[in-house]
DNA sequence: GCCAACGTTGGC
DNA sequence: GCCAACGTTGGC
């Protein structure tokens, strides 16, 4: 059982949308090989996820979700009208995957990136590492509980 | 809107 | 296989 942090911009996908559907494909398409490999090889059904809001006014963790399926081909890669269309991908040999996620709960407030940075015991999180650009990162158990204790 | 930092592409 | 040019991410 592992923990993850997954980023999405509010204009693409939010915790509120996941709450509404209850369970859904992770709607922020992954287009990074390192992230794809983590989803494919390391992410397991039942793993817990921090839902992180990036590229917006209030940056931080807004809720909790759970991995609800194994990896499967991300449909947007085949959709030539989608911004995420990938002409080099085929149904026989899909390049990009996603997983289903299940709503767990919203946090009572957003735990901001600034707070996370300020917290000494959260040093070493991949999230706050200089130059990190991964939209999905593993979170260790200590960090997971520490962040929840800030809520 | 700016820009640092990184990933990807493609010519050679 | 190198690397310059370009694209993207995402905080500020």
């Amino acid at each position: 059982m592992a923990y993850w942090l997954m980023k999405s911009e509010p204009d693409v996908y939010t915790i509120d949308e996941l709450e509404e559907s209850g369970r859904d494909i992770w709607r922020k398409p992954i287009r990074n090989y390192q992230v794809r490999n983590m989803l494919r090889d390391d992410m397991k059904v039942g793993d817990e996820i921090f839902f992180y809001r990036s590229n917006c006014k209030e940056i931080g963790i807004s809720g909790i979700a759970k991995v609800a399926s194994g990896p499967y081909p991300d449909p947007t890669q085949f959709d030539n009208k989608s911004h995420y269309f990938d002409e080099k991908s085929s149904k026989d040999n899909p390049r990009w995957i996603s997983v289903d996620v299940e709503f767990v709960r919203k946090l009572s407030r957003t735990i901001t990136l600034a707070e996370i940075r300020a917290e000494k015991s959260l040093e070493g999180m991949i999230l706050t590492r200089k130059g990190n650009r991964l939209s999905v990162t593993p979170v260790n158990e200590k960090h997971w509980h520490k962040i929840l204790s800030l809520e």
Side-chain angles (χ1 to χ4, degrees):
Chain A
M1 162 74 185
Y3 301 99
W4 303 92
L5 182 144
M6 298 179 76
K7 295 184 180 181
S8 176
E9 301 146 55
D11 48 339
V12 177
Y13 188 38
T14 65
I15 187 78
D16 297 296
E17 291 171 83
L18 178 58
E19 181 177 30
E20 215 167 290
S21 69
R23 177 187 162 152
D24 199 359
I25 187 170
W26 179 255
R27 282 199 224 159
K28 167 83 175 109
I30 304 300
R31 292 293 181 272
N32 171 289
Y33 290 106
Q34 225 179 315
V35 171
R36 180 200 67 182
N37 295 350
M38 282 194 288
L39 258 61
R40 187 186 61 199
D41 304 333
D42 303 326
M43 200 174 258
K44 304 288 178 221
V45 172
D47 285 358
E48 292 190 88
I49 301 162
F50 280 142
F51 200 123
Y52 179 92
R53 299 184 14 194
S54 66
N55 220 340
C56 60
K57 221 166 191 183
E58 201 182 23
I59 299 162
I61 296 165
S62 56
I64 298 176
K66 227 188 228 182
V67 178
S69 83
Y72 61 93
D74 165 10
T76 63
Q77 70 193 307
F78 307 126
D79 176 2
N80 60 13
K81 274 170 262 152
S82 167
H83 171 69
Y84 294 98
F85 177 64
D86 184 346
E87 60 174 10
K88 289 181 184 156
S89 185
S90 68
K91 292 209 172 173
D92 293 339
N93 191 16
R95 183 180 281 195
W96 305 110
I97 54 174
S98 190
V99 296
D100 284 347
V101 295
E102 190 184 313
F103 177 77
V104 175
R105 68 180 181 91
K106 280 196 245 186
L107 297 192
S108 56
R109 64 181 192 87
T110 299
I111 298 173
T112 65
L113 177 61
E115 279 177 84
I116 292 169
R117 282 196 197 285
E119 180 59 51
K120 198 100 208 239
S121 60
L122 294 175
E123 265 177 25
M125 282 190 74
I126 297 170
L127 174 71
T128 49
R129 239 175 244 172
K130 191 178 176 186
N132 165 57
R133 296 176 56 200
L134 301 176
S135 61
V136 177
T137 53
V139 175
N140 77 34
E141 194 172 352
K142 251 189 202 162
H143 292 160
W144 176 273
H145 292 300
K146 179 67 201 178
I147 287 170
L148 283 182
S149 78
L150 298 175
E151 183 184 5

